[in-house]
Amino acid sequence: MPARIISIGTALPETSAPQPDLRAFFAGQPGADRLTRRLIGGAFDASGIETRHTVLEGLAGSPDGVFIAEDGTLLSPTTGVRNDLYRSAAPPLAATAARDALTRGAVAADQITHVITVSCTGFFAPGLDYHLVRDLGLSEDVERTHLGFMGCSAALPALRLASQIAEGRPRAVVLVVCLELCSLHVRETSDPEQVVAASVFADGAAAALVTAGDIPGDPGGLVLDRFATALTREGESDMSWTIGDHGFQMTLSAEVPRIIGREIRDAVDRFLGDDPPPGIWAVHPGGRSVLDRVETGLGLEPAALHASRAVLRDCGNMSSATILFILRRLLEDPAVEGPIAALAFGPGLTVESALMHRKR
């Protein structure tokens, strides 16, 4: 039997920040000259985002003395300090998303046979996979795999691996958890690429349960038909993610949407082959311009990207977790029928694709 996603759970940090407030915060930093303020205003206003969530309470007006000074100035803690906060904040948020998936799928913790974790915004060991076993009360012989530092596209390779495990072991139930705390790497900057990154990235976690067997719980879900990976002919230097002394440094150039717009048709045509294009798409919203380029490049109807635009609007770009937020909306929408294509873009530029369909 083909593997299927039987449920998706999500979790967001308690602190939410309206996009206009974040724009005002960054534009009000002491080092922001008139040109930088114009860049910030343009990037934040064009993002397609209304609200983002963060583990940094200071971004919502509660100075913490680590990231935000009492006078509202953005501080520059070391990478070690940032990673310490990741280590404390990541496990509970990941566990919340996983519990949500278990509840929605009517699956007991002792039914989980494999755990796959995904993250690119922090490191520690024993890591998220270990803590999920402990926090959820999973069996100690659960097989664990971590996919690290693959960027925004990593959820689809994780689902691909889960599908391969499930189809090879019909009694397997795989828990996939994507956790990203992008706001931990916020910085004051006048670099246009860093301004764009600051305007879109956010925090969140999502979890999916994947199986190919008949287990107790919901018999429906999203059947995972096939996957594909492609590298664009250019873009290696336009989207990258490196570790600096004061946080991880995201390069996200203005060329990214244009590269996607130029090359997406060829990548999708090779992926779909002779299959007709689906009417519903789950596209990772790197930003509103990325969705616009995909819509134009593939000749999609506006309704095809409704869920992608809604998640961008309500949550921002949560890196790898974002595509699972989109798929959850589609999974829970009773009007969704037929094939669904998923696309996510990562450093390189890498294009990850998945084709699935709804099972009742």
Side-chain angles (χ1 to χ4, degrees):
M1 292 180 63
R4 59 191 171 95
I5 301 173
I6 59 175
S7 66
I8 298 175
T10 56
L12 294 166
E14 292 183 4
T15 300
S16 64
Q19 188 76 337
D21 292 355
L22 291 171
R23 179 191 60 203
F25 170 79
F26 282 98
Q29 293 303 304
D33 57 21
R34 184 169 65 178
L35 176 59
T36 300
R37 291 195 296 272
R38 288 180 60 187
L39 288 171
I40 291 170
F44 278 69
D45 291 346
S47 66
I49 297 169
E50 293 181 3
T51 305
R52 287 184 279 167
H53 290 75
T54 173
V55 294
L56 301 180
E57 296 180 1
L59 291 180
S62 302
D64 56 15
V66 178
F67 280 84
I68 314 295
E70 289 295 328
D71 62 0
T73 300
L74 182 60
L75 302 174
S76 184
T78 65
T79 301
V81 170
R82 297 171 192 260
N83 199 66
D84 285 345
L85 183 52
Y86 175 91
R87 184 172 183 172
S88 64
L93 194 65
T96 299
R99 290 189 185 99
D100 189 28
L102 291 170
T103 299
R104 292 175 181 277
V107 171
D110 61 8
Q111 292 177 272
I112 301 299
T113 60
H114 297 73
V115 171
I116 301 171
T117 52
V118 176
S119 189
C120 68
T121 47
F123 295 97
F124 67 100
L128 286 175
D129 52 332
Y130 173 93
H131 283 271
L132 285 167
V133 171
R134 295 298 192 208
D135 294 343
L136 301 178
L138 307 184
S139 170
E140 294 185 354
D141 60 4
V142 163
E143 297 182 24
R144 298 176 284 127
T145 304
H146 179 68
L147 302 183
F149 227 64
M150 292 183 68
C152 296
S153 64
L156 293 185
L159 290 176
R160 181 179 64 219
L161 176 57
S163 175
Q164 292 167 346
I165 293 170
E167 291 178 5
R169 301 186 186 184
R171 304 186 71 168
V173 182
V174 187
L175 172 64
V176 177
V177 180
C178 300
L179 177 287
E180 305 291 5
L181 303 182
C182 304
S183 67
L184 293 182
H185 304 290
V186 68
R187 67 188 66 237
E188 182 183 0
T189 181
S190 60
D191 182 340
E193 295 177 1
Q194 297 295 326
V195 169
V196 170
S199 72
V200 297
F201 282 105
D203 301 347
L209 290 175
V210 178
T211 187
D214 291 324
I215 65 170
D218 189 345
L222 297 175
V223 178
L224 300 168
D225 296 314
R226 67 175 188 267
F227 296 85
T229 300
L231 293 179
T232 58
R233 289 182 292 272
E234 55 182 317
E236 181 178 353
S237 63
D238 292 287
M239 185 190 295
S240 62
W241 191 227
T242 58
I243 299 175
D245 293 336
H246 295 275
F248 299 174
Q249 298 172 352
M250 180 70 187
T251 297
L252 191 64
S253 82
E255 283 299 307
V256 169
R258 290 192 279 270
I259 294 170
I260 291 173
R262 287 195 300 268
E263 301 207 20
I264 193 63
R265 169 65 75 177
D266 182 56
V268 167
D269 285 348
R270 284 184 281 125
F271 169 57
L272 291 178
D274 295 330
D275 291 339
I280 300 174
W281 293 72
V283 177
H284 173 74
R288 188 176 73 179
S289 60
V290 169
L291 295 180
D292 291 344
R293 294 280 182 161
V294 170
E295 183 177 302
T296 301
L298 297 180
L300 302 179
E301 295 294 328
L305 295 180
H306 175 74
S308 300
R309 293 190 188 276
V311 169
L312 177 66
R313 180 194 66 223
D314 297 341
C315 304
N317 178 352
M318 300 166 286
S319 191
S320 68
T322 316
I323 199 76
L324 292 182
F325 275 73
I326 298 166
L327 291 175
R328 172 175 167 172
R329 291 197 179 214
L330 297 175
L331 178 60
E332 296 178 353
D333 184 347
V336 170
E337 296 284 355
I340 299 167
L343 295 173
F345 313 104
L349 286 165
T350 302
V351 182
E352 297 287 351
S353 310
L355 189 66
M356 58 195 77
H357 68 273
R358 179 72 172 270
K359 178 183 178 182
R360 298 292 182 182

